[in-house]
């Protein structure tokens, strides 16, 4: 019976993890999957996370089920971290999810249940966005967001496309640290797109997965907060993978900002029912850690200090890359202004494969680089390899 199945290709981004691991060359460089690395090449566990884990081991009274919604205190604290004043007092349906991907899938399933037809997706985007929406049975409608040769956001084209969206369509927006381009909307652009979304009766779905890695914790959520103040309804998918370094713990949440508490209750029951028939209840460990950190002044301060150090490391690597790469690609001075872990270089697939084969530099064939994967000591050598293409 299994013969009815055809073999599926590996996810190209995740396949890089195995390819890189299997490469035995000294000095190999991993600019692939979006995980933060420090100057030794390690993906550290935050000090605050380690301490929260220690306390959990000592004090956690039980491992009994919590329920499909997950931990209410975690959800409340994460909402405050993400939305600040803009989210305060808002009627909201919230569910803890297995990572940000789990949040996006739940959002997609909810939209399918609501009868949402089209989801507008700016390209390029994280490749899994389109896959998740399609898997839920939604139609994906794409529009140009970023032009690779000029390294610029195509804001006018984006606005023109969204002006043609039908009322009730959804629009996926990256809150900040855009994956894969690092190019973000300005404050004015956030206001303009928020007004358009409100005027046309569209449903925004904001993906926030890199808070703290761009310009700062509040700054990276500023656009989302502008949007929330302007629209009656919104979905927000939050990932704690990068911001708390909890990748494998699968920690995230989906929030639906609603216009009144009755609607919020109805949305919550629908999200819970969807979760129940999928993974039933979310994993707890990562959420318990995040909740403890956000609820403890000293732990939170330490976490904020550590993520700021990481952000500054990325910023300094960005500066050096921009200076070096712009010697050949003038337009790549933009790498300095781009934010978060990623930039999308104007490379052909053949260039990417050549860098991999000849220099053991790994990145997806799209030309995306994870800047956080570079150690300071190897930046100059890596720049030279790019310039030699
Ligand atoms: C990435 O884009 O590298 C990360 O978001 C990891 C993933 O799940 O793809």
């Amino acid at each position: 019976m299994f013969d009815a199945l055809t073999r599926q290709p590996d996810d190209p981004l995740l396949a890089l993890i195995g390819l890189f691991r299997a490469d035995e060359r000294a000095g190999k460089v991993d600019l692939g999957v979006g995980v933060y690395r420090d100057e030794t090449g390690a993906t550290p566990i935050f000090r605050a996370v380690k301490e929260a884990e220690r306390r959990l081991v000592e004090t956690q009274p039980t491992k009994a089920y919590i329920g499909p919604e997950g931990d209410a205190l975690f959800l409340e604290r994460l909402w405050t971290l993400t939305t600040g004043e803009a989210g305060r007092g808002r009627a909201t349906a919230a569910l803890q999810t297995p990572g940000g991907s789990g949040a996006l899938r739940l959002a997609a399933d909810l939209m399918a249940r609501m009868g949402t037809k089209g989801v507008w997706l700016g390209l390029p985007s994280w490749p899994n966005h389109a896959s998740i929406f399609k898997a839920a049975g939604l139609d994906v409608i794409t529009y140009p967001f970023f032009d690779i040769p000029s390294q610029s956001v195509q804001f006018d084209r984006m606005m023109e496309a969204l002006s043609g969206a039908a009322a009730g369509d959804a629009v996926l927006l990256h809150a900040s640290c855009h994956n894969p381009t690092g190019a973000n909307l300005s404050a004015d652009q956030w206001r303009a797109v928020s007004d358009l979304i409100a005027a046309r009766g569209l449903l925004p779905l904001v993906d926030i997965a890199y808070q703290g890695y761009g310009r700062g914790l509040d700054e990276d959520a500023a656009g989302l907060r502008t949007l929330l103040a302007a629209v009656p309804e919104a979905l927000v998918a939050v990932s704690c993978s990068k911001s708390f370094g909890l990748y494998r713990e699968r920690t995230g949440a989906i929030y639906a900002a609603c216009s009144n508490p009755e609607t919020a209750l109805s949305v919550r029951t629908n999200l819970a029912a969807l979760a129940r028939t999928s993974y039933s209840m979310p994993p707890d460990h990562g959420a318990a850690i995040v909740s403890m950190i956000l609820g403890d002044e000293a732990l939170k301060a330490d976490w904020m200090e550590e993520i700021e150090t990481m952000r500054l490391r990325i910023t300094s690597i960005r500066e050096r890359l921009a200076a070096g790469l712009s010697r050949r690609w003038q337009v790549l001075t933009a790498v300095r202004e781009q934010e978060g872990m990623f930039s999308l270089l104007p490379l052909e697939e053949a260039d990417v494969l050549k860098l991999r084969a000849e220099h053991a530099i790994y990145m997806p064939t799209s030309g995306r680089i994870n800047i956080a994967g570079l150690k300071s000591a190897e930046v100059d050598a890596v720049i030279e390899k790019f310039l030699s293409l």
Side-chain angles (χ1 to χ4, degrees):
M1 285 179 281
F2 294 138
D3 289 345
L5 300 170
T6 54
R7 201 170 154 172
Q8 300 295 304
D10 291 336
D11 179 276
L13 191 56
L14 300 187
L16 278 180
I17 299 174
L19 289 176
F20 181 78
R21 201 174 285 148
D23 192 325
E24 286 172 356
R25 285 174 285 180
K28 59 184 179 177
V29 177
D30 184 2
L31 309 181
V33 179
V35 294
Y36 178 83
R37 292 213 177 73
D38 64 15
E39 283 297 328
T40 70
T43 299
I45 301 175
F46 279 79
R47 295 183 300 264
V49 166
K50 267 286 182 210
E51 174 58 19
E53 284 189 309
R54 197 186 59 73
R55 290 186 199 174
L56 273 178
V57 167
E58 282 169 10
T59 61
Q60 195 174 47
T62 179
K63 295 280 187 192
Y65 293 126
I66 295 183
E69 286 93 349
D71 177 346
L73 201 52
F74 158 78
L75 289 165
E76 190 188 311
R77 287 170 173 166
L78 187 64
W79 179 246
T80 302
L81 176 76
T82 310
T83 62
E85 282 302 314
R88 191 192 293 271
R90 186 77 185 250
T92 306
L95 240 80
Q96 182 181 319
T97 55
S101 299
L104 288 166
R105 179 57 197 255
L106 220 47
D109 286 337
L110 184 79
M111 292 193 288
R113 204 175 248 221
M114 282 154 54
T116 303
K117 287 199 177 60
V119 183
W120 292 74
L121 183 63
L123 291 185
S125 197
W126 180 52
N128 209 22
H129 276 144
S131 307
I132 288 173
F133 298 138
K134 287 180 191 161
L138 300 166
D139 287 336
V140 174
I141 311 163
T142 61
Y143 63 88
F145 171 77
F146 180 82
D147 179 58
I148 301 169
S150 63
Q151 292 284 304
S152 60
V153 172
Q154 304 289 286
F155 190 67
D156 292 345
R157 293 173 75 191
M158 167 178 173
M159 292 294 277
E160 196 188 320
L162 293 181
S163 305
D169 278 353
V171 186
L172 186 282
L173 296 168
H174 299 230
S176 46
C177 304
H178 186 270
N179 181 1
T181 70
N184 297 305
L185 300 180
S186 68
D188 284 345
Q189 289 171 335
W190 270 104
R191 268 189 293 278
V193 77
S194 301
D195 289 347
L196 184 141
I197 285 170
R200 294 207 62 81
L202 309 178
L203 177 66
L205 164 56
V206 181
D207 185 354
I208 177 158
Y210 295 88
Q211 192 179 0
Y213 284 96
R215 280 178 296 130
L217 283 164
D218 283 328
E219 292 84 347
D220 293 347
L224 163 61
R225 294 172 187 181
T226 299
L227 174 83
L228 273 183
V231 297
E233 297 183 333
L235 286 163
V236 183
V238 187
S239 169
C240 298
S241 297
K242 288 86 183 175
S243 299
F244 290 86
L246 286 167
Y247 311 89
R248 67 173 68 165
E249 300 296 353
R250 311 311 299 138
T251 308
I254 183 70
Y255 296 92
C258 305
S259 48
N260 62 68
E262 291 90 289
T263 311
L265 184 59
S266 160
V267 172
R268 182 166 65 77
T269 58
N270 276 276
L271 286 169
L274 287 165
R276 182 66 174 143
T277 54
S278 173
Y279 54 86
S280 187
M281 286 173 266
D284 173 68
H285 188 64
I289 291 166
V290 170
S291 184
M292 189 180 284
I293 292 173
L294 294 179
D296 181 299
E297 236 170 82
L299 283 184
K300 186 176 175 193
D302 190 49
W303 165 71
M304 288 172 72
E305 190 186 309
E306 198 165 358
I307 199 167
E308 179 64 4
T309 308
M310 294 155 95
R311 188 183 77 78
L312 293 175
R313 193 183 96 72
I314 294 175
T315 311
S316 84
I317 304 265
R318 275 195 176 282
E319 276 176 18
R320 289 176 60 195
L321 271 182
L325 295 176
S326 61
R327 278 158 45 206
R328 159 140 182 217
W329 296 277
Q330 174 60 40
V331 74
L332 289 184
T333 52
V335 167
R336 184 181 294 120
E337 281 75 49
Q338 292 163 358
E339 293 165 7
M341 289 192 188
F342 307 118
S343 281
L344 189 61
L345 304 184
L347 300 180
E348 302 294 332
E349 182 170 340
D351 297 329
V352 171
L353 297 178
K354 187 170 172 211
L355 286 167
R356 196 181 299 172
E358 293 180 10
H359 304 297
I361 296 176
Y362 283 76
M363 67 178 90
T365 50
S366 62
R368 188 189 82 168
I369 51 168
N370 172 20
I371 287 167
L374 268 176
K375 300 172 204 147
S376 305
E378 61 198 13
V379 174
D380 290 339
V382 166
I383 289 171
E384 290 312 317
K385 302 291 185 309
F386 276 106
L387 297 187
S388 74
L389 279 171

